[in-house]
Amino acid sequence: MWTKQSVVKPGARPGVLHQQESACQMRWTCYSETRLEQGVLDEVSDLPEPQAGEILWLDIVGVPGEAGLKGLQEVYGLHHLALEDVQHEGQNPKSETFSDHLYVVLQIPRLMEGTIQFEQLNLFWASNFVISVHAQEGLFDPVRHRLELARGKIRGGGSEYLLYALSDLAVDHGFPVAQSLTEQLFDLENRAESGDADLSQEIYGVRRQLSSLQRQALRQREMIRSLMDPEHPLLSGAHAVYWRDCLDHAERLYENLTYLRESAADLLNTHLALISHRMNDVMKVLTIMATVFIPLSFLVGLYGMNFSTDSPFNMPELSWRFGYLYVWGVMVLVVAGLMLFFRRKKWL
Protein backbone atom coordinates (compact mmCIF):
# COMPACT_ATOMS: atom_id res chain seq x y z
CA MET A 1 0.00 0.00 0.00
CA TRP A 2 0.99 3.59 -0.42
CA THR A 3 2.82 5.25 2.44
CA LYS A 4 0.49 8.00 3.62
CA GLN A 5 2.63 10.93 4.70
CA SER A 6 2.98 14.55 3.74
CA VAL A 7 6.16 15.04 1.75
CA VAL A 8 5.27 18.39 0.22
CA LYS A 9 7.00 21.30 1.92
CA PRO A 10 6.25 24.90 1.00
CA GLY A 11 9.09 26.41 -0.96
CA ALA A 12 10.76 23.11 -1.82
CA ARG A 13 12.54 22.88 -5.16
CA PRO A 14 10.49 21.10 -7.85
CA GLY A 15 11.49 17.57 -8.65
CA VAL A 16 13.15 16.87 -5.30
CA LEU A 17 12.69 13.24 -4.23
CA HIS A 18 12.17 12.32 -0.60
CA GLN A 19 13.14 9.23 1.28
CA GLN A 20 9.99 7.15 1.47
CA GLU A 21 9.82 3.81 3.20
CA SER A 22 7.53 1.46 1.29
CA ALA A 23 7.89 -2.21 0.47
CA CYS A 24 7.65 -2.73 -3.28
CA GLN A 25 7.70 -5.63 -5.69
CA MET A 26 9.13 -5.29 -9.19
CA ARG A 27 8.20 -7.65 -11.99
CA TRP A 28 9.43 -7.29 -15.56
CA THR A 29 8.09 -8.69 -18.81
CA CYS A 30 10.00 -8.53 -22.07
CA TYR A 31 8.10 -9.62 -25.16
CA SER A 32 7.72 -9.52 -28.91
CA GLU A 33 5.34 -11.25 -31.28
CA THR A 34 7.26 -14.51 -31.03
CA ARG A 35 8.95 -14.34 -27.62
CA LEU A 36 8.04 -13.61 -24.01
CA GLU A 37 10.25 -13.61 -20.92
CA GLN A 38 9.33 -12.63 -17.37
CA GLY A 39 11.12 -12.20 -14.09
CA VAL A 40 11.13 -10.63 -10.63
CA LEU A 41 13.65 -8.05 -9.46
CA ASP A 42 15.12 -8.01 -5.99
CA GLU A 43 17.37 -4.98 -6.34
CA VAL A 44 17.02 -1.67 -8.17
CA SER A 45 20.50 -2.19 -9.56
CA ASP A 46 19.13 -5.13 -11.60
CA LEU A 47 16.74 -3.02 -13.65
CA PRO A 48 16.61 -4.46 -17.19
CA GLU A 49 17.10 -2.34 -20.26
CA PRO A 50 14.81 -2.60 -23.30
CA GLN A 51 16.12 -4.92 -26.00
CA ALA A 52 16.00 -4.09 -29.69
CA GLY A 53 12.78 -5.22 -31.33
CA GLU A 54 11.09 -6.01 -27.99
CA ILE A 55 8.85 -4.22 -25.51
CA LEU A 56 9.73 -4.04 -21.83
CA TRP A 57 7.00 -3.79 -19.22
CA LEU A 58 8.16 -3.07 -15.69
CA ASP A 59 5.34 -3.44 -13.17
CA ILE A 60 6.08 -2.02 -9.69
CA VAL A 61 3.70 -2.68 -6.78
CA GLY A 62 4.37 -0.05 -4.12
CA VAL A 63 6.46 3.12 -4.32
CA PRO A 64 10.23 2.74 -4.53
CA GLY A 65 12.26 4.91 -2.22
CA GLU A 66 14.53 7.71 -3.32
CA ALA A 67 17.23 5.32 -4.51
CA GLY A 68 14.72 3.29 -6.52
CA LEU A 69 13.24 6.31 -8.27
CA LYS A 70 16.67 7.68 -9.08
CA GLY A 71 17.54 4.27 -10.52
CA LEU A 72 14.49 4.46 -12.78
CA GLN A 73 15.56 7.94 -13.85
CA GLU A 74 19.08 6.84 -14.71
CA VAL A 75 18.14 3.66 -16.61
CA TYR A 76 15.06 4.88 -18.46
CA GLY A 77 15.57 8.65 -18.58
CA LEU A 78 12.36 9.51 -16.72
CA HIS A 79 11.76 13.16 -15.93
CA HIS A 80 12.40 14.17 -12.32
CA LEU A 81 9.10 16.10 -12.06
CA ALA A 82 7.15 12.98 -13.00
CA LEU A 83 9.06 10.92 -10.44
CA GLU A 84 8.20 13.51 -7.80
CA ASP A 85 4.50 13.09 -8.65
CA VAL A 86 4.86 9.34 -8.14
CA GLN A 87 5.72 10.00 -4.50
CA HIS A 88 2.85 12.45 -4.01
CA GLU A 89 -0.36 10.46 -3.68
CA GLY A 90 -3.61 12.08 -4.76
CA GLN A 91 -2.65 13.46 -8.17
CA ASN A 92 -5.51 14.26 -10.52
CA PRO A 93 -5.75 12.11 -13.68
CA LYS A 94 -3.49 13.74 -16.23
CA SER A 95 -0.92 13.15 -18.95
CA GLU A 96 2.45 14.89 -19.21
CA THR A 97 4.47 14.82 -22.43
CA PHE A 98 8.25 15.04 -22.20
CA SER A 99 10.86 14.90 -24.94
CA ASP A 100 10.89 11.14 -25.48
CA HIS A 101 8.38 9.68 -23.04
CA LEU A 102 4.90 10.16 -21.64
CA TYR A 103 3.70 10.23 -18.03
CA VAL A 104 0.08 9.27 -17.31
CA VAL A 105 -1.75 9.36 -13.98
CA LEU A 106 -5.01 7.51 -13.36
CA GLN A 107 -7.01 7.08 -10.17
CA ILE A 108 -8.41 3.58 -9.52
CA PRO A 109 -11.43 3.54 -7.16
CA ARG A 110 -11.88 0.77 -4.62
CA LEU A 111 -14.80 0.25 -2.26
CA MET A 112 -13.42 -0.69 1.15
CA GLU A 113 -15.79 -1.12 4.11
CA GLY A 114 -18.42 1.01 2.41
CA THR A 115 -16.01 3.86 1.63
CA ILE A 116 -14.43 4.70 -1.71
CA GLN A 117 -10.66 5.00 -1.70
CA PHE A 118 -8.57 5.99 -4.70
CA GLU A 119 -5.27 4.37 -5.57
CA GLN A 120 -2.93 6.25 -7.86
CA LEU A 121 -1.70 4.51 -10.99
CA ASN A 122 1.44 5.96 -12.59
CA LEU A 123 2.28 4.95 -16.15
CA PHE A 124 5.48 5.84 -18.00
CA TRP A 125 5.44 5.20 -21.72
CA ALA A 126 8.14 5.30 -24.35
CA SER A 127 8.47 3.68 -27.75
CA ASN A 128 10.09 0.54 -26.31
CA PHE A 129 8.95 0.31 -22.67
CA VAL A 130 6.06 0.86 -20.27
CA ILE A 131 6.50 1.28 -16.51
CA SER A 132 3.53 0.98 -14.18
CA VAL A 133 3.67 2.00 -10.52
CA HIS A 134 0.65 1.26 -8.32
CA ALA A 135 -0.38 -0.13 -4.94
CA GLN A 136 -2.76 -3.00 -5.71
CA GLU A 137 -1.16 -6.40 -6.14
CA GLY A 138 -2.60 -8.41 -9.01
CA LEU A 139 -4.14 -5.34 -10.61
CA PHE A 140 -2.89 -6.15 -14.11
CA ASP A 141 -3.12 -9.94 -14.00
CA PRO A 142 -5.69 -9.98 -16.87
CA VAL A 143 -3.27 -8.07 -19.13
CA ARG A 144 -0.36 -10.29 -18.11
CA HIS A 145 -2.48 -13.38 -18.81
CA ARG A 146 -3.25 -12.09 -22.32
CA LEU A 147 0.45 -11.56 -22.92
CA GLU A 148 1.28 -15.07 -21.80
CA LEU A 149 -1.36 -16.60 -24.06
CA ALA A 150 -0.54 -14.23 -26.96
CA ARG A 151 -4.24 -13.55 -27.17
CA GLY A 152 -5.43 -10.79 -29.46
CA LYS A 153 -3.21 -7.98 -30.67
CA ILE A 154 -1.35 -7.29 -27.46
CA ARG A 155 1.89 -9.10 -28.34
CA GLY A 156 2.22 -7.34 -31.70
CA GLY A 157 0.70 -3.97 -30.87
CA GLY A 158 3.80 -2.36 -29.47
CA SER A 159 4.16 -0.27 -26.34
CA GLU A 160 1.25 2.06 -27.22
CA TYR A 161 -1.16 -0.86 -27.29
CA LEU A 162 0.13 -1.98 -23.89
CA LEU A 163 -0.42 1.55 -22.57
CA TYR A 164 -3.98 1.40 -23.91
CA ALA A 165 -4.59 -2.02 -22.35
CA LEU A 166 -3.41 -0.88 -18.91
CA SER A 167 -5.39 2.38 -19.10
CA ASP A 168 -8.54 0.60 -20.27
CA LEU A 169 -8.33 -1.89 -17.41
CA ALA A 170 -7.88 0.96 -14.92
CA VAL A 171 -10.96 2.75 -16.32
CA ASP A 172 -13.03 -0.45 -16.18
CA HIS A 173 -12.33 -0.78 -12.44
CA GLY A 174 -14.82 2.04 -11.92
CA PHE A 175 -17.79 -0.02 -13.14
CA PRO A 176 -17.91 -2.54 -10.22
CA VAL A 177 -17.74 0.39 -7.78
CA ALA A 178 -20.59 2.14 -9.61
CA GLN A 179 -22.60 -1.10 -9.54
CA SER A 180 -22.07 -1.43 -5.79
CA LEU A 181 -23.26 2.15 -5.25
CA THR A 182 -26.28 1.43 -7.47
CA GLU A 183 -27.23 -1.49 -5.23
CA GLN A 184 -26.86 0.73 -2.17
CA LEU A 185 -29.22 3.29 -3.73
CA PHE A 186 -31.79 0.57 -4.53
CA ASP A 187 -31.62 -0.64 -0.92
CA LEU A 188 -31.99 2.90 0.43
CA GLU A 189 -34.94 3.52 -1.90
CA ASN A 190 -36.72 0.40 -0.65
CA ARG A 191 -36.10 1.37 2.95
CA ALA A 192 -37.37 4.89 2.29
CA GLU A 193 -40.58 3.52 0.76
CA SER A 194 -41.08 1.22 3.76
CA GLY A 195 -41.06 4.19 6.11
CA ASP A 196 -37.54 4.08 7.52
CA ALA A 197 -37.03 7.61 8.82
CA ASP A 198 -33.30 7.42 9.63
CA LEU A 199 -31.72 7.44 6.17
CA SER A 200 -30.52 11.00 5.60
CA GLN A 201 -26.93 10.40 6.68
CA GLU A 202 -26.65 7.22 4.60
CA ILE A 203 -28.00 8.95 1.49
CA TYR A 204 -25.65 11.89 2.06
CA GLY A 205 -22.75 9.44 2.35
CA VAL A 206 -23.56 7.69 -0.93
CA ARG A 207 -24.06 11.01 -2.70
CA ARG A 208 -20.72 12.31 -1.40
CA GLN A 209 -18.93 9.20 -2.68
CA LEU A 210 -20.64 9.53 -6.05
CA SER A 211 -19.52 13.15 -6.27
CA SER A 212 -15.86 12.29 -5.67
CA LEU A 213 -16.05 9.37 -8.09
CA GLN A 214 -17.72 11.54 -10.72
CA ARG A 215 -15.03 14.23 -10.46
CA GLN A 216 -12.28 11.69 -10.99
CA ALA A 217 -14.18 10.07 -13.88
CA LEU A 218 -14.55 13.46 -15.58
CA ARG A 219 -10.83 14.22 -15.31
CA GLN A 220 -10.01 10.70 -16.46
CA ARG A 221 -12.23 11.08 -19.51
CA GLU A 222 -10.56 14.35 -20.48
CA MET A 223 -7.12 12.83 -20.00
CA ILE A 224 -7.92 9.93 -22.35
CA ARG A 225 -9.34 12.37 -24.88
CA SER A 226 -6.03 14.27 -24.81
CA LEU A 227 -4.18 11.07 -25.74
CA MET A 228 -6.36 10.79 -28.85
CA ASP A 229 -5.16 14.10 -30.24
CA PRO A 230 -4.10 13.40 -33.86
CA GLU A 231 -1.30 15.95 -33.41
CA HIS A 232 0.08 14.31 -30.28
CA PRO A 233 3.88 14.72 -30.36
CA LEU A 234 4.62 11.12 -29.27
CA LEU A 235 1.66 8.82 -29.93
CA SER A 236 1.35 7.79 -33.55
CA GLY A 237 -2.42 7.49 -33.77
CA ALA A 238 -2.17 3.95 -35.16
CA HIS A 239 -4.25 2.70 -32.25
CA ALA A 240 -6.85 5.46 -32.34
CA VAL A 241 -9.71 2.96 -32.68
CA TYR A 242 -8.68 1.32 -29.38
CA TRP A 243 -8.33 4.65 -27.62
CA ARG A 244 -11.85 5.51 -28.84
CA ASP A 245 -13.06 2.32 -27.19
CA CYS A 246 -11.31 3.32 -23.96
CA LEU A 247 -12.85 6.79 -24.21
CA ASP A 248 -16.26 5.20 -24.71
CA HIS A 249 -15.81 3.27 -21.47
CA ALA A 250 -14.76 6.43 -19.65
CA GLU A 251 -17.76 8.35 -21.01
CA ARG A 252 -20.20 5.57 -20.07
CA LEU A 253 -18.76 5.48 -16.57
CA TYR A 254 -19.09 9.25 -16.22
CA GLU A 255 -22.67 9.21 -17.53
CA ASN A 256 -23.61 6.37 -15.18
CA LEU A 257 -22.16 8.25 -12.22
CA THR A 258 -23.97 11.43 -13.25
CA TYR A 259 -27.26 9.52 -13.37
CA LEU A 260 -26.57 7.88 -10.01
CA ARG A 261 -25.69 11.21 -8.42
CA GLU A 262 -28.93 12.73 -9.70
CA SER A 263 -30.82 9.67 -8.45
CA ALA A 264 -29.23 10.08 -5.02
CA ALA A 265 -30.28 13.73 -4.95
CA ASP A 266 -33.84 12.78 -5.98
CA LEU A 267 -33.93 10.04 -3.36
CA LEU A 268 -32.80 12.48 -0.69
CA ASN A 269 -35.49 14.99 -1.70
CA THR A 270 -38.12 12.24 -1.77
CA HIS A 271 -37.01 10.96 1.62
CA LEU A 272 -37.20 14.43 3.16
CA ALA A 273 -40.62 14.96 1.54
CA LEU A 274 -41.89 11.66 3.01
CA ILE A 275 -40.60 12.63 6.44
CA SER A 276 -42.31 16.01 6.11
CA HIS A 277 -45.54 14.35 4.97
CA ARG A 278 -45.53 11.94 7.90
CA MET A 279 -44.82 14.82 10.24
CA ASN A 280 -47.77 16.72 8.78
CA ASP A 281 -50.00 13.69 9.34
CA VAL A 282 -48.90 13.49 12.97
CA MET A 283 -49.43 17.20 13.47
CA LYS A 284 -52.88 16.97 11.86
CA VAL A 285 -53.97 14.21 14.26
CA LEU A 286 -52.61 16.10 17.25
CA THR A 287 -54.30 19.32 16.10
CA ILE A 288 -57.65 17.55 15.68
CA MET A 289 -57.35 15.97 19.11
CA ALA A 290 -56.50 19.35 20.67
CA THR A 291 -59.41 21.01 18.82
CA VAL A 292 -61.83 18.34 20.06
CA PHE A 293 -60.75 18.67 23.66
CA ILE A 294 -60.82 22.48 23.79
CA PRO A 295 -64.66 22.76 24.07
CA LEU A 296 -64.76 19.74 26.35
CA SER A 297 -62.21 21.35 28.62
CA PHE A 298 -64.35 24.49 28.64
CA LEU A 299 -67.48 22.57 29.68
CA VAL A 300 -65.67 20.56 32.33
CA GLY A 301 -64.05 23.70 33.68
CA LEU A 302 -67.36 25.56 33.68
CA TYR A 303 -69.26 22.91 35.56
CA GLY A 304 -66.35 22.15 37.79
CA MET A 305 -66.68 25.51 39.53
CA ASN A 306 -67.91 25.22 43.11
CA PHE A 307 -70.44 27.80 44.28
CA SER A 308 -72.96 27.82 47.10
CA THR A 309 -76.26 26.19 46.07
CA ASP A 310 -78.13 28.60 48.37
CA SER A 311 -77.44 31.55 46.03
CA PRO A 312 -80.20 32.41 43.53
CA PHE A 313 -77.48 33.22 40.96
CA ASN A 314 -75.90 29.75 41.06
CA MET A 315 -75.87 27.48 37.97
CA PRO A 316 -79.33 25.87 37.82
CA GLU A 317 -77.88 22.63 36.35
CA LEU A 318 -76.26 21.83 39.69
CA SER A 319 -79.66 21.08 41.19
CA TRP A 320 -81.02 19.09 38.24
CA ARG A 321 -81.76 15.44 38.81
CA PHE A 322 -80.03 14.44 35.52
CA GLY A 323 -77.52 17.31 35.31
CA TYR A 324 -74.52 14.98 35.11
CA LEU A 325 -76.03 13.06 32.20
CA TYR A 326 -77.01 16.33 30.56
CA VAL A 327 -73.40 17.55 30.56
CA TRP A 328 -72.20 14.24 29.11
CA GLY A 329 -74.76 14.48 26.37
CA VAL A 330 -73.66 18.01 25.50
CA MET A 331 -70.01 16.90 25.29
CA VAL A 332 -70.87 13.96 23.05
CA LEU A 333 -72.86 16.23 20.74
CA VAL A 334 -69.93 18.70 20.60
CA VAL A 335 -67.48 15.94 19.62
CA ALA A 336 -69.89 14.53 17.01
CA GLY A 337 -70.47 18.00 15.57
CA LEU A 338 -66.74 18.68 15.30
CA MET A 339 -66.10 15.36 13.60
CA LEU A 340 -68.87 16.02 11.10
CA PHE A 341 -67.43 19.47 10.43
CA PHE A 342 -63.92 18.04 9.89
CA ARG A 343 -65.33 15.40 7.57
CA ARG A 344 -67.12 17.94 5.41
CA LYS A 345 -63.96 20.03 5.22
CA LYS A 346 -62.08 16.84 4.22
CA TRP A 347 -59.68 17.22 7.07
CA LEU A 348 -60.32 13.62 8.05
Side-chain angles (χ1 to χ4, degrees), residues 8-44:
V8 180
K9 295 182 179 180
R13 290 186 296 109
V16 175
L17 300 180
H18 301 265
Q19 187 58 41
Q20 186 169 346
E21 298 297 331
S22 176
C24 65
Q25 302 175 359
M26 293 182 287
R27 185 173 181 178
W28 62 271
T29 303
C30 191
Y31 67 92
S32 64
E33 290 189 66
T34 58
R35 176 180 175 274
L36 183 139
E37 185 179 359
Q38 300 183 83
V40 178
L41 298 179
D42 296 324
E43 299 293 337
V44 177

Short mmCIF file of all heavy atoms in Angstrom, two decimals, residues 8-44:
data_model
loop_
_atom_site.label_atom_id
_atom_site.label_comp_id
_atom_site.label_asym_id
_atom_site.label_seq_id
_atom_site.Cartn_x
_atom_site.Cartn_y
_atom_site.Cartn_z
N VAL A 8 5.22 17.12 0.92
CA VAL A 8 5.27 18.39 0.22
C VAL A 8 5.56 19.50 1.23
O VAL A 8 4.81 19.69 2.18
CB VAL A 8 3.93 18.68 -0.50
CG1 VAL A 8 4.00 20.02 -1.23
CG2 VAL A 8 3.61 17.56 -1.47
N LYS A 9 6.64 20.20 1.04
CA LYS A 9 7.00 21.30 1.92
C LYS A 9 6.93 22.60 1.14
O LYS A 9 7.43 22.68 0.01
CB LYS A 9 8.41 21.09 2.47
CG LYS A 9 8.53 19.87 3.38
CD LYS A 9 9.94 19.75 3.94
CE LYS A 9 10.05 18.54 4.86
NZ LYS A 9 11.41 18.41 5.41
N PRO A 10 6.31 23.61 1.71
CA PRO A 10 6.25 24.90 1.00
C PRO A 10 7.64 25.42 0.69
O PRO A 10 8.53 25.43 1.54
CB PRO A 10 5.51 25.80 2.00
CG PRO A 10 4.75 24.87 2.88
CD PRO A 10 5.59 23.64 2.98
N GLY A 11 7.82 25.84 -0.56
CA GLY A 11 9.09 26.41 -0.96
C GLY A 11 10.13 25.41 -1.41
O GLY A 11 11.24 25.80 -1.77
N ALA A 12 9.78 24.12 -1.40
CA ALA A 12 10.76 23.11 -1.82
C ALA A 12 11.00 23.20 -3.32
O ALA A 12 10.12 23.56 -4.09
CB ALA A 12 10.26 21.71 -1.44
N ARG A 13 12.22 22.87 -3.73
CA ARG A 13 12.54 22.88 -5.16
C ARG A 13 11.74 21.81 -5.89
O ARG A 13 11.54 20.71 -5.38
CB ARG A 13 14.04 22.63 -5.36
CG ARG A 13 14.92 23.76 -4.91
CD ARG A 13 16.38 23.49 -5.27
NE ARG A 13 16.91 22.33 -4.57
CZ ARG A 13 17.19 21.17 -5.14
NH1 ARG A 13 16.97 21.01 -6.43
NH2 ARG A 13 17.70 20.18 -4.44
N PRO A 14 11.25 22.11 -7.10
CA PRO A 14 10.49 21.10 -7.85
C PRO A 14 11.37 19.94 -8.26
O PRO A 14 12.55 20.12 -8.60
CB PRO A 14 9.98 21.88 -9.07
CG PRO A 14 10.95 23.01 -9.23
CD PRO A 14 11.36 23.38 -7.83
N GLY A 15 10.77 18.75 -8.22
CA GLY A 15 11.49 17.57 -8.65
C GLY A 15 12.39 16.95 -7.61
O GLY A 15 13.14 16.03 -7.91
N VAL A 16 12.30 17.42 -6.36
CA VAL A 16 13.15 16.87 -5.30
C VAL A 16 12.49 15.60 -4.76
O VAL A 16 11.32 15.62 -4.36
CB VAL A 16 13.35 17.89 -4.17
CG1 VAL A 16 14.13 17.26 -3.02
CG2 VAL A 16 14.09 19.11 -4.70
N LEU A 17 13.21 14.50 -4.74
CA LEU A 17 12.69 13.24 -4.23
C LEU A 17 12.96 13.14 -2.74
O LEU A 17 13.94 13.67 -2.23
CB LEU A 17 13.35 12.06 -4.96
CG LEU A 17 13.14 12.02 -6.48
CD1 LEU A 17 13.85 10.81 -7.08
CD2 LEU A 17 11.65 11.98 -6.81
N HIS A 18 12.05 12.46 -2.04
CA HIS A 18 12.17 12.32 -0.60
C HIS A 18 12.31 10.84 -0.26
O HIS A 18 11.77 9.98 -0.95
CB HIS A 18 10.94 12.89 0.10
CG HIS A 18 10.70 14.34 -0.20
ND1 HIS A 18 11.16 15.35 0.62
CD2 HIS A 18 10.07 14.95 -1.24
CE1 HIS A 18 10.81 16.53 0.11
NE2 HIS A 18 10.14 16.31 -1.02
N GLN A 19 13.01 10.61 0.82
CA GLN A 19 13.14 9.23 1.28
C GLN A 19 11.78 8.74 1.75
O GLN A 19 11.16 9.35 2.61
CB GLN A 19 14.17 9.13 2.41
CG GLN A 19 14.46 7.70 2.83
CD GLN A 19 14.97 6.86 1.66
OE1 GLN A 19 15.78 7.33 0.86
NE2 GLN A 19 14.50 5.64 1.57
N GLN A 20 11.33 7.65 1.18
CA GLN A 20 9.99 7.15 1.47
C GLN A 20 10.07 5.65 1.68
O GLN A 20 10.42 4.90 0.77
CB GLN A 20 9.04 7.48 0.31
CG GLN A 20 7.59 7.13 0.59
CD GLN A 20 6.68 7.73 -0.49
OE1 GLN A 20 7.09 8.58 -1.27
NE2 GLN A 20 5.44 7.29 -0.51
N GLU A 21 9.74 5.23 2.88
CA GLU A 21 9.82 3.81 3.20
C GLU A 21 8.54 3.12 2.74
O GLU A 21 7.45 3.39 3.22
CB GLU A 21 10.02 3.61 4.71
CG GLU A 21 11.31 4.21 5.25
CD GLU A 21 12.53 3.56 4.65
OE1 GLU A 21 12.44 2.37 4.28
OE2 GLU A 21 13.57 4.23 4.56
N SER A 22 8.67 2.20 1.79
CA SER A 22 7.53 1.46 1.29
C SER A 22 8.02 0.20 0.62
O SER A 22 8.87 0.25 -0.27
CB SER A 22 6.71 2.30 0.30
OG SER A 22 5.65 1.55 -0.25
N ALA A 23 7.51 -0.95 1.09
CA ALA A 23 7.89 -2.21 0.47
C ALA A 23 7.31 -2.27 -0.93
O ALA A 23 6.15 -1.94 -1.16
CB ALA A 23 7.38 -3.37 1.31
N CYS A 24 8.13 -2.66 -1.90
CA CYS A 24 7.65 -2.73 -3.28
C CYS A 24 8.15 -4.01 -3.93
O CYS A 24 9.18 -4.57 -3.56
CB CYS A 24 8.09 -1.50 -4.07
SG CYS A 24 9.86 -1.34 -4.29
N GLN A 25 7.35 -4.45 -4.90
CA GLN A 25 7.70 -5.63 -5.69
C GLN A 25 7.85 -5.20 -7.14
O GLN A 25 7.00 -4.45 -7.65
CB GLN A 25 6.62 -6.70 -5.56
CG GLN A 25 6.36 -7.15 -4.13
CD GLN A 25 5.20 -8.13 -4.04
OE1 GLN A 25 4.58 -8.45 -5.05
NE2 GLN A 25 4.92 -8.58 -2.83
N MET A 26 8.88 -5.66 -7.80
CA MET A 26 9.13 -5.29 -9.19
C MET A 26 9.14 -6.55 -10.06
O MET A 26 9.89 -7.49 -9.79
CB MET A 26 10.46 -4.54 -9.31
CG MET A 26 10.45 -3.18 -8.63
SD MET A 26 12.01 -2.28 -8.80
CE MET A 26 13.06 -3.23 -7.70
N ARG A 27 8.29 -6.52 -11.08
CA ARG A 27 8.20 -7.65 -11.99
C ARG A 27 8.34 -7.14 -13.42
O ARG A 27 7.68 -6.17 -13.80
CB ARG A 27 6.85 -8.35 -11.81
CG ARG A 27 6.68 -9.62 -12.64
CD ARG A 27 5.40 -10.32 -12.27
NE ARG A 27 5.22 -11.55 -13.04
CZ ARG A 27 4.19 -12.37 -12.87
NH1 ARG A 27 3.25 -12.09 -11.97
NH2 ARG A 27 4.10 -13.47 -13.60
N TRP A 28 9.20 -7.75 -14.20
CA TRP A 28 9.43 -7.29 -15.56
C TRP A 28 8.96 -8.34 -16.56
O TRP A 28 8.97 -9.55 -16.30
CB TRP A 28 10.90 -6.95 -15.78
CG TRP A 28 11.84 -8.13 -15.61
CD1 TRP A 28 12.43 -8.52 -14.45
CD2 TRP A 28 12.26 -9.04 -16.63
NE1 TRP A 28 13.20 -9.63 -14.65
CE2 TRP A 28 13.13 -9.97 -15.97
CE3 TRP A 28 12.02 -9.18 -17.98
CZ2 TRP A 28 13.73 -11.02 -16.67
CZ3 TRP A 28 12.62 -10.21 -18.67
CH2 TRP A 28 13.47 -11.11 -18.03
N THR A 29 8.53 -7.84 -17.69
CA THR A 29 8.09 -8.69 -18.81
C THR A 29 8.68 -8.12 -20.08
O THR A 29 8.48 -6.94 -20.39
CB THR A 29 6.56 -8.73 -18.92
OG1 THR A 29 6.00 -9.20 -17.69
CG2 THR A 29 6.13 -9.65 -20.05
N CYS A 30 9.41 -8.93 -20.80
CA CYS A 30 10.00 -8.53 -22.07
C CYS A 30 9.40 -9.42 -23.15
O CYS A 30 9.44 -10.65 -23.05
CB CYS A 30 11.52 -8.70 -22.02
SG CYS A 30 12.38 -7.93 -23.43
N TYR A 31 8.82 -8.80 -24.19
CA TYR A 31 8.10 -9.62 -25.16
C TYR A 31 8.18 -9.02 -26.56
O TYR A 31 8.46 -7.84 -26.76
CB TYR A 31 6.63 -9.75 -24.75
CG TYR A 31 5.84 -8.47 -24.81
CD1 TYR A 31 5.14 -8.11 -25.96
CD2 TYR A 31 5.79 -7.60 -23.72
CE1 TYR A 31 4.41 -6.93 -26.03
CE2 TYR A 31 5.06 -6.42 -23.78
CZ TYR A 31 4.37 -6.09 -24.92
OH TYR A 31 3.67 -4.91 -25.00
N SER A 32 7.92 -9.89 -27.50
CA SER A 32 7.72 -9.52 -28.91
C SER A 32 6.63 -10.43 -29.44
O SER A 32 6.00 -11.17 -28.67
CB SER A 32 9.02 -9.71 -29.71
OG SER A 32 9.40 -11.07 -29.73
N GLU A 33 6.40 -10.41 -30.74
CA GLU A 33 5.34 -11.25 -31.28
C GLU A 33 5.64 -12.73 -31.10
O GLU A 33 4.72 -13.55 -30.98
CB GLU A 33 5.14 -10.94 -32.77
CG GLU A 33 4.52 -9.58 -33.04
CD GLU A 33 4.14 -9.43 -34.50
OE1 GLU A 33 3.23 -10.17 -34.94
OE2 GLU A 33 4.74 -8.59 -35.18
N THR A 34 6.88 -13.10 -31.07
CA THR A 34 7.26 -14.51 -31.03
C THR A 34 7.92 -14.94 -29.73
O THR A 34 8.17 -16.13 -29.52
CB THR A 34 8.23 -14.81 -32.18
OG1 THR A 34 9.40 -13.97 -32.07
CG2 THR A 34 7.56 -14.55 -33.53
N ARG A 35 8.18 -13.99 -28.82
CA ARG A 35 8.95 -14.34 -27.62
C ARG A 35 8.40 -13.59 -26.42
O ARG A 35 7.96 -12.45 -26.53
CB ARG A 35 10.42 -13.98 -27.84
CG ARG A 35 11.33 -14.20 -26.63
CD ARG A 35 12.76 -13.80 -26.96
NE ARG A 35 13.62 -13.90 -25.80
CZ ARG A 35 13.77 -12.92 -24.91
NH1 ARG A 35 13.12 -11.77 -25.07
NH2 ARG A 35 14.57 -13.08 -23.87
N LEU A 36 8.44 -14.25 -25.26
CA LEU A 36 8.04 -13.61 -24.01
C LEU A 36 8.91 -14.15 -22.88
O LEU A 36 9.10 -15.37 -22.75
CB LEU A 36 6.56 -13.86 -23.70
CG LEU A 36 6.03 -13.16 -22.43
CD1 LEU A 36 4.64 -12.59 -22.67
CD2 LEU A 36 5.97 -14.14 -21.26
N GLU A 37 9.43 -13.24 -22.07
CA GLU A 37 10.25 -13.61 -20.92
C GLU A 37 9.86 -12.74 -19.74
O GLU A 37 9.60 -11.54 -19.90
CB GLU A 37 11.72 -13.43 -21.25
CG GLU A 37 12.66 -13.92 -20.14
CD GLU A 37 14.12 -13.74 -20.52
OE1 GLU A 37 14.40 -13.27 -21.65
OE2 GLU A 37 14.99 -14.05 -19.68
N GLN A 38 9.76 -13.35 -18.57
CA GLN A 38 9.33 -12.63 -17.37
C GLN A 38 10.29 -12.91 -16.23
O GLN A 38 10.99 -13.92 -16.22
CB GLN A 38 7.91 -13.05 -16.95
CG GLN A 38 6.85 -12.79 -18.01
CD GLN A 38 5.47 -13.14 -17.51
OE1 GLN A 38 4.83 -12.35 -16.82
NE2 GLN A 38 5.00 -14.33 -17.84
N GLY A 39 10.29 -12.01 -15.26
CA GLY A 39 11.12 -12.20 -14.09
C GLY A 39 10.76 -11.23 -12.98
O GLY A 39 9.97 -10.31 -13.16
N VAL A 40 11.36 -11.46 -11.82
CA VAL A 40 11.13 -10.63 -10.63
C VAL A 40 12.46 -10.04 -10.20
O VAL A 40 13.48 -10.73 -10.19
CB VAL A 40 10.52 -11.46 -9.48
CG1 VAL A 40 10.34 -10.59 -8.24
CG2 VAL A 40 9.18 -12.05 -9.90
N LEU A 41 12.44 -8.75 -9.87
CA LEU A 41 13.65 -8.05 -9.46
C LEU A 41 13.72 -7.94 -7.95
O LEU A 41 12.72 -7.64 -7.29
CB LEU A 41 13.70 -6.65 -10.08
CG LEU A 41 13.73 -6.56 -11.61
CD1 LEU A 41 13.75 -5.10 -12.04
CD2 LEU A 41 14.94 -7.28 -12.16
N ASP A 42 14.90 -8.18 -7.42
CA ASP A 42 15.12 -8.01 -5.99
C ASP A 42 15.81 -6.70 -5.66
O ASP A 42 15.60 -6.13 -4.59
CB ASP A 42 15.97 -9.17 -5.46
CG ASP A 42 15.26 -10.52 -5.59
OD1 ASP A 42 14.02 -10.54 -5.43
OD2 ASP A 42 15.94 -11.51 -5.88
N GLU A 43 16.60 -6.19 -6.56
CA GLU A 43 17.37 -4.98 -6.34
C GLU A 43 17.14 -3.99 -7.48
O GLU A 43 16.95 -4.40 -8.63
CB GLU A 43 18.87 -5.28 -6.22
CG GLU A 43 19.23 -6.21 -5.08
CD GLU A 43 18.99 -5.58 -3.72
OE1 GLU A 43 18.97 -4.33 -3.66
OE2 GLU A 43 18.84 -6.34 -2.73
N VAL A 44 17.17 -2.71 -7.15
CA VAL A 44 17.02 -1.67 -8.17
C VAL A 44 18.19 -1.71 -9.14
O VAL A 44 18.04 -1.38 -10.33
CB VAL A 44 16.91 -0.29 -7.50
CG1 VAL A 44 16.82 0.82 -8.54
CG2 VAL A 44 15.72 -0.25 -6.56
#
